[in-house]
Amino acid sequence: MSGPSGAGKSTVVEGLAAYVPFHFSVSMTTRPARPGEVEGVDYRFVDRERFQQAIAAGELIEWADYGGNLYGTPVAEVTGPRRQGRDVLLDIEMAGARNVKRLFPDAIMIFIVPPDLDALEARLRRRGDTSEADIARRLAIARDQISEAATLFEHHVVNDDLDAAVRQVAGILGAVPNPPVIPS
Ligand code: 5GP
């Protein structure tokens, strides 16, 4: 699962647990913990030296630099649960997602999109001082950015209404027979 920051991925992951069983892959990161984050639950928080060791020791399936911090998926978070027949869910940025798809071609790729485009369009129209052509151009740029990033993902879910988004993801994973259709 991937998506631009602010799309609400972690909230969707939390909600999803009520619908489908899965193992959440706890990444290793050099980012400091945010208030409320729990070591070993949200991330394994390590320093750069430990992270570099993990890379050298082949402990990570993939890793990426995001906003100046390192993030990586420990091999054990994926292979262990998979050996036990459990599905594994990764919350991962774009480069990592691309690597995971290469390594696990049967991975289900879900892109969570924030409802920002609709909000942007509404805001531009409300202002009333922007020409239709200008609105169209701005929206096209925003849409391009999202779709360029999203070509890798076979499923796009707009996180407009959280419960609907969670149900849609659950539907993609086969847990809910008739997920609501969310316009994108
Ligand atoms: P945050 O700091 O907001 O928790 O995460 C920043 C970004 O890093 C998010 O896009 C998240 O999906 C991504 N991320 C989290 N863990 C991993 C990982 O193990 N590998 C990669 N490549 N990205 C990760």
Side-chain angles (χ1 to χ4, degrees):
M1 185 178 289
S2 198
S5 78
K9 275 168 297 171
S10 2
T11 335
V12 171
V13 172
E14 274 166 34
L16 198 58
Y19 289 91
V20 274
F22 59 86
H23 171 75
F24 178 71
S25 167
V26 181
S27 297
M28 186 179 277
T29 184
T30 61
R31 165 169 83 61
R34 295 187 187 124
E37 285 184 330
V38 178
E39 162 66 28
V41 174
D42 298 289
Y43 282 105
R44 283 169 60 198
F45 299 99
V46 299
D47 58 21
R48 279 196 169 248
E49 197 185 333
R50 173 68 189 97
F51 199 100
Q52 295 297 347
Q53 271 175 12
I55 294 174
E59 285 175 42
L60 303 178
I61 282 177
E62 61 73 39
W63 65 92
D65 186 316
Y66 184 94
N69 292 304
L70 299 172
Y71 295 82
T73 306
V75 176
E77 288 291 321
V78 177
T79 52
R82 272 172 66 93
R83 217 176 284 128
Q84 294 165 2
R86 301 177 68 196
D87 291 324
V88 180
L89 193 145
L90 283 73
D91 173 342
I92 198 169
E93 52 65 69
M94 205 65 59
R98 199 167 281 125
N99 284 329
V100 166
K101 184 65 177 176
R102 194 165 40 76
L103 294 166
F104 302 96
D106 61 340
I108 298 172
M109 309 294 284
I110 303 174
F111 192 73
I112 306 289
V113 191
D116 292 356
L117 280 185
D118 293 345
L120 177 64
E121 180 167 5
R123 201 167 59 235
L124 289 172
R125 283 191 199 290
R126 239 187 349 260
R127 265 196 345 205
D129 62 353
T130 312
S131 70
E132 276 301 313
D134 203 26
I135 290 176
R137 201 175 58 235
R138 289 179 196 214
L139 287 175
I141 292 170
R143 228 173 254 125
D144 274 0
Q145 284 172 346
I146 288 188
S147 69
E148 185 195 334
T151 43
L152 175 66
F153 298 82
E154 60 255 58
H155 303 285
H156 299 186
V157 172
V158 179
N159 186 12
D160 198 349
D161 172 83
L162 178 64
D163 192 53
V166 167
R167 288 173 56 83
Q168 199 182 350
V169 173
I172 291 165
L173 302 178
V176 178
N178 291 305
V181 175
I182 301 172
S184 52

